[in-house]
Amino acid sequence: MIAVLKPGTTQQQIDNLINWFKGRGLDVHLSVGQYRTILGLIGDTSKIDVELLEGLEMIESVKRITEPFKSANRKFHPDDSAVDIGGGIKLGGGHFQLIAGPCSVESAEQILGIAESVKASGATILRGGAFKPRTSPYDFQGLRAEGIELLLEAKKKTGMPIITEIMNQNHLPMFEEVDIIQVGARNMQNFELLKELGRTNKPILLKRGLANTLKELLMSAEYIMAGGNNNVILCERGIRTFETYTRNTLDLSAVPMLRELTHLPIVIDPSHATGMARLVKPMALAAAAAGADGIMIEVHNDPANALCDGAQSLTPAQFSEVAEKVRQIREVIAE
Ligand SMILES: [Mn+2]
């Protein structure tokens, strides 16, 4: 981090500032020019509040050289991370996983039927919502605890690990046997929830908020990792732009950009990103081509009568086609 001081700053002020930085464990490199005095701060500056510094009378500007995220930063962890999902499955670091299942768990027959068909098509992880963060309080809110029970039954019968969303840290005891806990877009900055998940050792799939930057996504990952849980998977699911034909705008550049910034695995969710079943296949293929570590797709046995997100859900037959094409794309990019 570099701090540029205003002209006319006294030696006493400079000494005070240097001591303040040293008190925070930083080494300070002082550079006195004809018109400018510059302090180079060396060490872990992640706990330094840039806005506080910029507010000081003697400071002209502050520039971070290293990003404020530390645990997630590739600079300190050059190799890709692979998150251990359990059951011999890893995600990231060369391990690609296809996640599929309905938006919401609706019944035992529904979740088990979909699980069996997506497994047969090559899906390796089963998704299904039990607690649903719906925009309207009058929409289906999910089967809640019963939904998790049904997912666990499907897991037992198919052997597929399961992923489902948590909305409240008080629900954590219900997630004991859930393999991956999802933090939805709307909770990306629910910091108390993130801290609580940081105290577990569960794999966490963290979705990017609909109006959040990649830096904010990484800072949220940092919340989980700062608590000691490094099993974080990032998920791009579309962001809100001025476009209205699609539900959201899929930011596929997030894959190569995040790849540079972080060692954490990156999953793409083309279903929520586009909101339309017919756009899911091209976007899933593009995600595979961009090098995503995983793709998460909503699949329903009867999309027209789905209790949630039917318009963007693929039928098992459509999913099977996408899964095959994704496999082919991955072969091409591996060459
Ligand atoms: Mn959904």
Side-chain angles (χ1 to χ4, degrees):
M1 185 182 280
I2 288 171
V4 180
L5 306 188
K6 281 186 182 155
T9 305
T10 66
Q11 190 57 50
Q12 183 60 50
Q13 284 176 310
I14 295 173
D15 290 343
N16 288 347
L17 192 59
I18 290 176
N19 284 334
W20 187 83
F21 285 127
K22 286 189 170 165
R24 275 152 186 77
L26 298 172
D27 283 331
V28 182
H29 182 271
L30 177 67
S31 160
V32 183
Q34 199 177 348
Y35 303 107
R36 286 275 180 284
T37 297
I38 295 172
L39 300 182
L41 309 173
I42 301 146
D44 179 9
T45 56
S46 58
K47 292 190 179 75
I48 298 290
D49 182 347
V50 172
E51 280 163 17
L52 174 79
L53 282 183
E54 283 173 337
L56 295 179
E57 186 61 40
M58 70 196 89
I59 300 274
E60 186 172 288
S61 64
V62 179
K63 189 168 168 39
R64 275 194 188 281
I65 305 299
T66 305
E67 299 80 6
F69 45 94
K70 197 173 169 235
S71 301
N73 202 322
R74 187 178 282 283
K75 284 192 186 118
F76 308 114
H77 190 298
D79 295 334
D80 287 340
S81 282
V83 172
D84 209 327
I85 310 302
I89 291 185
K90 286 184 174 164
L91 199 160
H95 303 270
F96 177 86
Q97 304 301 340
L98 202 47
I99 307 167
C103 180
S104 307
V105 180
E106 298 172 12
S107 68
E109 305 74 60
Q110 177 241 22
I111 188 66
L112 187 63
I114 295 172
E116 279 169 346
S117 58
V118 295
K119 185 185 178 186
S121 306
T124 44
I125 299 171
L126 176 66
R127 63 147 289 143
F131 291 90
K132 299 302 301 176
R134 303 303 301 277
T135 301
S136 166
Y138 308 116
D139 286 340
F140 177 57
Q141 302 289 306
L143 292 181
R144 302 169 69 86
E146 190 198 339
I148 293 185
E149 288 306 316
L150 296 178
L151 277 168
L152 290 173
E153 255 175 61
K155 172 184 172 177
K156 209 187 284 172
K157 289 197 172 132
T158 61
M160 294 175 92
I162 55 169
I163 173 169
T164 193
E165 177 169 354
I166 193 165
M167 284 171 53
N168 187 320
Q169 53 266 43
N170 298 331
H171 295 161
L172 254 176
M174 282 184 251
F175 285 70
E176 209 122 290
E177 290 170 73
V178 170
D179 301 279
I180 307 175
I181 300 179
Q182 175 178 314
V183 175
R186 290 159 188 82
N187 271 318
M188 189 202 90
Q189 289 189 314
N190 182 341
F191 300 119
E192 288 304 316
L193 173 63
L194 300 179
K195 280 190 232 174
E196 205 57 56
L197 295 173
R199 292 186 199 106
T200 72
N201 58 4
K202 284 275 180 201
I204 310 293
L205 181 130
L206 178 65
K207 285 196 160 190
R208 179 184 184 180
L210 33 165
N212 286 109
T213 63
L214 295 179
K215 190 196 262 182
E216 287 164 341
L217 171 63
L218 289 166
M219 291 309 291
S220 289
E222 200 71 17
Y223 260 93
I224 299 168
M225 300 174 89
N229 184 358
N230 291 321
N231 302 312
V232 180
I233 300 161
L234 304 172
C235 179
E236 159 64 31
R237 44 77 71 208
I239 51 176
R240 185 165 283 188
T241 67
F242 45 79
E243 184 50 64
T244 52
Y245 278 117
T246 47
R247 181 174 176 180
N248 294 286
T249 295
L250 177 57
D251 179 11
L252 261 188
S253 60
V255 178
M257 193 69 247
L258 287 171
R259 193 70 80 204
E260 278 180 27
L261 295 167
T262 181
H263 53 91
L264 297 174
I266 305 153
V267 166
I268 292 290
D269 171 352
S271 304
H272 291 92
T274 61
M276 276 182 272
R278 67 180 184 278
L279 300 188
V280 169
K281 180 176 169 186
M283 290 299 96
L285 301 190
D293 299 296
I295 299 176
M296 180 152 76
I297 295 177
E298 287 193 343
V299 178
H300 199 281
N301 52 326
D302 182 11
N305 291 304
L307 292 181
C308 178
D309 284 348
Q312 68 194 32
S313 295
L314 300 187
T315 60
Q318 289 168 327
F319 173 73
S320 174
E321 229 183 276
V322 174
E324 174 55 23
K325 288 276 179 207
V326 163
R327 202 188 54 72
Q328 291 174 11
I329 294 264
R330 287 193 35 79
E331 255 171 40
V332 171
I333 61 167
E335 279 167 9

